[in-house]
Amino acid sequence: MAVQITDNNETNELIDLGYYFNIIKRYSFRIIALSLAFTLLVAVLVLRMTPLYTSSTTLLIESDKTNVVSIEEVYGIDTKSKDYMATQYEILKSRQIAEKTVEGLSLYNNDIFMPVVEVNGPSLLSRVKAMLPFLPQAEPTTLTDLELLERKKRRAVSLLMRATDVSMMKNTQLMRISVTTESASLSALIANTIADVYIESYLQAKVDMTAKATSFLTDSIEGLKGKLDIAERNLARFYETNQVVNIDGVVGLASDELERLNIQLSEAQIELKLNEVIYSQIKDSKALSDVARLPEVLNHPAVQDVRRDEGKALAKVSELRNVYGPKHPKMIAANSELTAIRDTLSIQINDLISSITTQYESSKEKVKRLESEVNASKAAFRSLSELDNQRKALERDVDINQQLYNSFFTRLKETDELGGFETANARVLDSALPPGMPSKPNKKLFIAIAFVFSVAFGVFLAILLEALNSGIRSVEDVERKLGQRMLGLIPWLHHKKKTDLPIRSFFDGKKHQFSESVRTLRTSLSLLNLDKEQQVIMLTSSVPKEGKTTVSINLAFALGQLDKTILIDADLRRPSVGRQFNIPSYQPGVANLILKSHTFDECLVQDEESKIDILTAGTIPSNPQELLSDKGFDLLIQDLKTKYKYVVIDTAPTQAVSDSMVIANSCDSVIYVVRADSTSDKVINSGISRFLQVGHRLDGVVLNQVNLKKSDVAQRYAGFYDQYEYTSHKDGEK
């Protein structure tokens, strides 16, 4: 089973869930063992834990309470503030409430709430310092009974604050007070007591605030009464000193008089300016004729009348002059009338000049007089204004003191009335009751969590160990880590340690899985070489102890059932084929044939049970690699191919020596034997790469000594082997 995922680079990868499932299945026993051990340990610890009981009481806090009288200013509390509930929450959690609760219930003497400890003993820090003498040591101190009591109280308060939990219920005015102790009844008692202490503290705070407000208002009223009396006396003295009855009316009259005089002065000043102009012109004129020509004189009504008469007289004289002579009585009378009119005109002009001078002087005097009167009026008005300002200031001082006195007196009366009507801002909605079951620890939950955690941790460890394991244990590892095909899988057979597997296991009917796995290897190898009439098959491994010799022998047994087969031990350094078949070490073999010291028949050994021929290593030479590189070895192999269908060669490990590289030149097939879950993939790849570097092709890998109980892939093959074996027995019976 695989899950496809897409990363940011648009590349698809497959996560093989079956691979991880197989890992978990392979490690299942160890995972379960770890989980059970850890869960058992946690269960023992949890069962030893002291049960804790939690009891809760619910408070209803009225943030919008009805005021009996409007004196919020006295208390200074804004109950409608959005922070009111948060403030009450912090008050419930405060140390002051905890201290009053501890005092009220004497929790510092309660052995259940606060187990007895050596309060007067040395502290942990002191004991640590005592064990380290090079550190500065503090002088030992002895606490008095009072100091011990205070320390116990502080410890009890700290314990209570840790044991108490206050929570606000969302979108309500409810507070829940929860207390957790080792006693169910004690938890309920403490929770109810905290609620009562909170309510009593609120009421006591209101009483204290009322008392403080009353004292403040009383002291303030006495001072305000004295100030009011002084202000009233100052106002009365002002009226008595200045003999003022209606100063507002007097000030109004003075203002009107000053306004009237200012108007008269303005008119007089205008008149004076006009008279001054005329007077200056008359004064500057040198002859009466010049004066007579002035517009002011010409336009004067009296002068205009005389001048009209003069014009009439001149017209009459002119008319008579044309008729009569200068001596005629009418002519004389007309001239006399003209002369008289002109004399009158001169008199009128002179009178007018005198009048203008007199009028100018009179205007000057009038302006001076009015200016003096205006100045006097201004002085009087200023004096009256000052008196009026003094009167207003005194009256204002009296009014302010009167208002303050009345306001404080009203607040004092309201406070006195409220003193006996104190209401709490909260009430208990649900009292705490002793719980029937402990709240902590939740043993079942802890054990379940421990089991789940241990299983998850075990799975993690299994996957981690699998990731850190560099061995080869499955077909997937062969293909993924080595890049080679899997030819066969040889199961591990139980046998004594430090001993070889019994050589005839292939023919043991009780070990049918082992036999079938070897036959499967034989089939895979045959299918790869269908086009070859004879096959020279070489088996090697990376390091010793991987079972290549066992595989070589059993493969030779399997091939021997098909056709004529010979098994050659080409490991001239540490030969083991002869030892497996109990052939004496002095038996000549491959080395003797290459050196031509013995004949083929002298070296050949036949196994009677399996019917295969065996060619041991023979006498071990001092230069095995040079001997194998000789043409004699290649000629030997070519000769054997003419006599045998299958030639199986067991060689030395690749990481130990390079003999197998030389032998591979004479072989048709190269099989690489890998011990399951043992040799590192890096070592195996290094050995395989040596063949690839010299141009030799590997037919595939044989995974040897696979534990069928631990390997999922091997178990699947084992199931097939069992089924096949059972079918074979049934067919045989038929």
Side-chain angles (χ1 to χ4, degrees):
M1 178 178 180
V3 176
Q4 180 172 318
I5 60 173
T6 303
D7 59 12
N8 294 332
N9 296 324
E10 300 297 331
T11 60
N12 296 331
E13 296 181 359
L14 292 177
I15 298 178
D16 190 356
L17 298 182
Y19 171 75
Y20 293 103
F21 177 76
N22 292 332
I23 294 175
I24 297 171
K25 187 177 180 181
R26 186 162 54 249
Y27 286 89
S28 59
F29 177 77
R30 281 173 280 185
I31 292 173
I32 293 174
L34 173 65
S35 303
L36 292 177
F38 183 77
T39 305
L40 181 61
L41 176 62
V42 171
V44 171
L45 295 176
V46 168
L47 292 175
R48 291 173 59 88
M49 294 174 65
T50 303
L52 299 177
Y53 297 86
T54 301
S55 186
S56 302
T57 184
T58 304
L59 280 178
L60 172 61
I61 299 179
E62 299 175 351
S63 60
D64 294 326
K65 59 185 181 63
T66 303
N67 296 318
V68 179
V69 289
S70 178
I71 60 166
E72 289 83 2
E73 296 85 353
V74 174
Y75 294 107
I77 299 176
D78 182 11
T79 59
K80 295 182 180 180
S81 174
K82 63 180 181 180
D83 298 329
Y84 179 73
M85 292 299 293
T87 302
Q88 303 310 306
Y89 170 79
E90 294 297 332
I91 292 174
L92 279 168
K93 293 176 59 178
S94 65
R95 177 173 288 273
Q96 181 185 23
I97 299 296
E99 289 176 349
K100 291 182 179 179
T101 304
V102 169
E103 290 286 349
L105 297 177
S106 299
L107 293 177
Y108 50 87
N109 289 326
N110 192 312
D111 294 339
I112 298 177
F113 179 77
M114 193 172 70
V116 178
V117 294
E118 188 63 29
V119 180
N120 200 18
S123 63
L124 177 61
L125 181 60
S126 300
R127 291 196 293 269
V128 172
K129 286 186 176 180
M131 292 186 292
L132 303 173
F134 56 86
L135 294 178
Q137 304 295 320
E139 293 294 331
T141 57
T142 303
L143 301 178
T144 63
D145 293 340
L146 182 59
E147 290 174 337
L148 286 174
L149 181 61
E150 288 298 323
R151 179 175 290 187
K152 288 176 64 178
K153 289 182 178 180
R154 288 197 299 271
R155 182 166 175 263
V157 169
S158 299
L159 290 175
L160 179 59
M161 293 180 71
R162 288 198 295 269
T164 304
D165 178 63
V166 181
S167 59
M168 289 191 297
M169 298 185 184
K170 190 175 181 181
N171 299 327
T172 66
Q173 294 177 257
L174 300 178
M175 292 275 191
R176 177 173 287 119
I177 306 170
S178 301
V179 178
T180 303
T181 66
E182 297 179 7
S183 171
S185 58
L186 182 61
S187 297
L189 177 61
I190 294 176
N192 290 327
T193 303
I194 291 176
D196 294 338
V197 167
Y198 167 73
I199 295 173
E200 291 173 2
S201 298
Y202 182 85
L203 292 174
Q204 185 61 43
K206 290 182 67 176
V207 171
D208 294 341
M209 292 167 64
T210 301
K212 291 181 180 179
T214 301
S215 176
F216 169 74
L217 292 174
T218 301
D219 295 340
S220 300
I221 283 176
E222 292 178 358
L224 291 173
K225 186 66 172 67
K227 291 181 180 180
L228 179 60
D229 292 341
I230 293 173
E232 289 177 344
R233 285 197 297 271
N234 290 336
L235 182 61
R237 189 182 301 113
F238 171 79
Y239 282 114
E240 182 179 353
T241 301
N242 294 282
Q243 297 295 319
V244 176
V245 178
N246 185 9
I247 191 169
D248 291 332
V250 174
V251 172
L253 292 175
S255 177
D256 295 340
E257 179 65 18
L258 180 60
E259 184 179 1
R260 183 182 61 80
L261 289 175
N262 282 325
I263 293 173
Q264 291 180 359
L265 177 60
S266 298
E267 294 175 350
Q269 288 174 344
I270 293 171
E271 183 180 358
L272 175 61
K273 288 182 180 180
L274 294 174
N275 292 331
E276 185 178 5
V277 170
I278 297 172
Y279 177 76
S280 298
Q281 292 177 349
I282 293 174
K283 188 176 181 180
D284 293 338
S285 300
K286 297 179 179 180
L288 186 60
S289 59
D290 295 333
V291 175
R293 286 194 295 269
L294 292 174
E296 290 77 5
V297 175
L298 293 175
N299 295 329
H300 196 276
V303 174
Q304 289 180 349
D305 292 340
V306 175
R307 291 186 68 86
R308 280 196 298 271
D309 293 340
E310 183 184 11
K312 292 178 180 180
L314 283 174
K316 186 177 180 181
V317 170
S318 298
E319 182 180 356
L320 291 176
R321 183 181 292 120
N322 295 328
V323 178
Y324 302 102
K327 300 295 188 176
H328 190 277
K330 290 185 178 181
M331 190 63 182
I332 295 172
N335 288 327
S336 299
E337 183 181 0
L338 178 60
T339 301
I341 290 172
R342 288 180 174 173
D343 291 339
T344 301
L345 178 60
S346 298
I347 293 171
Q348 289 291 338
I349 290 173
N350 288 328
D351 291 343
L352 182 58
I353 292 171
S354 299
S355 174
I356 290 172
T357 302
T358 301
Q359 189 175 359
Y360 170 69
E361 294 296 334
S362 176
S363 296
K364 287 176 63 178
E365 292 296 329
K366 184 178 180 181
V367 168
K368 290 181 180 179
R369 177 177 58 79
L370 288 174
E371 286 179 347
S372 177
E373 290 179 358
V374 167
N375 291 332
S377 180
K378 287 182 178 180
F381 182 76
R382 283 195 295 270
S383 177
L384 290 174
S385 297
E386 290 177 0
L387 289 176
D388 185 49
N389 291 335
Q390 292 179 10
R391 188 261 306 177
K392 289 180 179 178
L394 293 173
E395 288 180 348
R396 187 166 52 252
D397 192 17
V398 172
D399 291 340
I400 291 173
N401 285 285
Q402 185 66 51
Q403 292 175 4
L404 288 173
Y405 177 78
N406 292 338
S407 176
F408 273 68
F409 186 77
T410 302
R411 294 293 184 269
L412 179 61
K413 290 299 181 182
E414 291 177 346
T415 305
D416 290 339
E417 292 296 329
L418 188 63
F421 192 76
E422 303 294 349
T423 58
N425 70 326
R427 60 186 175 89
V428 176
L429 186 63
D430 289 325
S431 297
L433 298 176
M437 297 292 293
S439 59
K440 297 178 183 178
N442 190 338
K443 298 179 181 180
K444 294 181 180 179
L445 179 61
F446 277 1
I447 294 174
I449 291 175
F451 179 75
V452 172
F453 172 78
S454 59
V455 170
F457 185 69
V459 171
F460 170 75
L461 283 180
I463 296 175
L464 179 63
L465 291 175
E466 186 69 18
L468 296 177
N469 183 18
S470 59
I472 306 299
R473 60 174 52 172
S474 66
V475 177
E476 290 79 6
D477 289 345
V478 171
E479 296 175 352
R480 180 167 49 89
K481 294 182 179 180
L482 305 181
Q484 298 294 326
R485 69 166 59 91
M486 180 80 161
L487 289 179
L489 180 147
I490 309 299
W492 178 84
L493 295 181
H494 179 72
H495 60 281
K496 293 182 180 180
K497 292 184 178 180
K498 298 183 180 180
T499 61
D500 295 327
L501 185 70
I503 194 171
R504 307 296 177 182
S505 297
F506 179 79
F507 302 103
D508 190 349
K510 297 180 180 179
K511 301 175 181 178
H512 58 86
Q513 290 183 348
F514 179 80
S515 303
E516 291 302 327
S517 65
V518 176
R519 292 188 182 97
T520 302
L521 172 60
R522 179 189 66 187
T523 302
S524 300
L525 189 60
S526 299
L527 292 174
L528 287 175
N529 297 277
L530 289 175
D531 56 338
K532 297 179 181 178
E533 294 183 0
Q534 293 83 22
Q535 295 183 30
V536 179
I537 305 167
M538 185 193 84
L539 289 92
T540 187
S541 63
S542 300
V543 294
K545 304 296 183 181
E546 291 200 73
K548 62 176 179 56
T549 301
T550 301
V551 176
S552 300
I553 293 172
N554 285 277
L555 178 60
F557 286 159
L559 292 173
Q561 292 181 336
L562 299 179
D563 207 334
K564 194 173 182 181
T565 302
I566 185 171
L567 174 62
I568 300 175
D569 189 354
D571 188 353
L572 302 184
R573 301 175 187 271
R574 297 180 61 183
S576 58
V577 173
R579 179 171 52 82
Q580 292 277 357
F581 284 92
N582 295 321
I583 299 174
S585 59
Y586 56 79
Q587 171 68 33
V590 174
N592 303 95
L593 289 175
I594 298 174
L595 294 174
K596 299 180 180 180
S597 62
H598 292 74
T599 64
F600 179 75
D601 293 334
E602 292 175 340
C603 298
L604 189 65
V605 177
Q606 187 177 31
D607 182 48
E608 296 297 334
E609 183 175 352
S610 62
K611 306 301 182 182
I612 66 170
D613 293 336
I614 301 171
L615 192 62
T616 62
T619 304
I620 299 178
S622 60
N623 54 346
Q625 188 171 353
E626 289 79 0
L627 188 63
L628 293 172
S629 302
D630 190 84
K631 292 183 178 180
F633 178 77
D634 185 61
L635 292 174
L636 173 63
I637 299 300
Q638 297 300 325
D639 182 55
L640 292 176
K641 290 176 67 175
T642 61
K643 299 177 181 179
Y644 296 92
K645 172 67 174 178
Y646 301 106
V647 179
V648 179
I649 304 176
D650 180 30
T651 63
T654 59
Q655 295 299 311
V657 290
S658 301
D659 296 357
S660 58
M661 306 296 164
V662 177
I663 297 173
N665 293 324
S666 303
C667 299
D668 300 317
S669 297
V670 178
I671 299 176
Y672 210 91
V673 178
V674 175
R675 183 179 177 180
D677 203 13
S678 176
T679 310
S680 169
D681 58 343
K682 293 182 180 179
V683 175
I684 299 171
N685 278 316
S686 175
I688 294 174
S689 64
R690 298 183 68 181
F691 284 101
L692 299 178
Q693 288 173 359
V694 296
H696 291 304
R697 178 182 65 85
L698 263 68
D699 283 2
V701 172
V702 175
L703 193 60
N704 190 31
Q705 299 185 25
V706 179
N707 192 332
L708 299 181
K709 296 181 179 180
K710 295 182 180 180
S711 175
D712 298 323
V713 177
Q715 287 179 6
R716 292 200 296 269
Y717 285 110
F720 297 149
Y721 297 150
D722 291 339
Q723 183 179 2
Y724 178 77
E725 182 67 19
Y726 174 77
T727 305
S728 300
H729 286 314
K730 296 292 288 184
D731 294 341
E733 292 176 1
K734 293 180 181 179

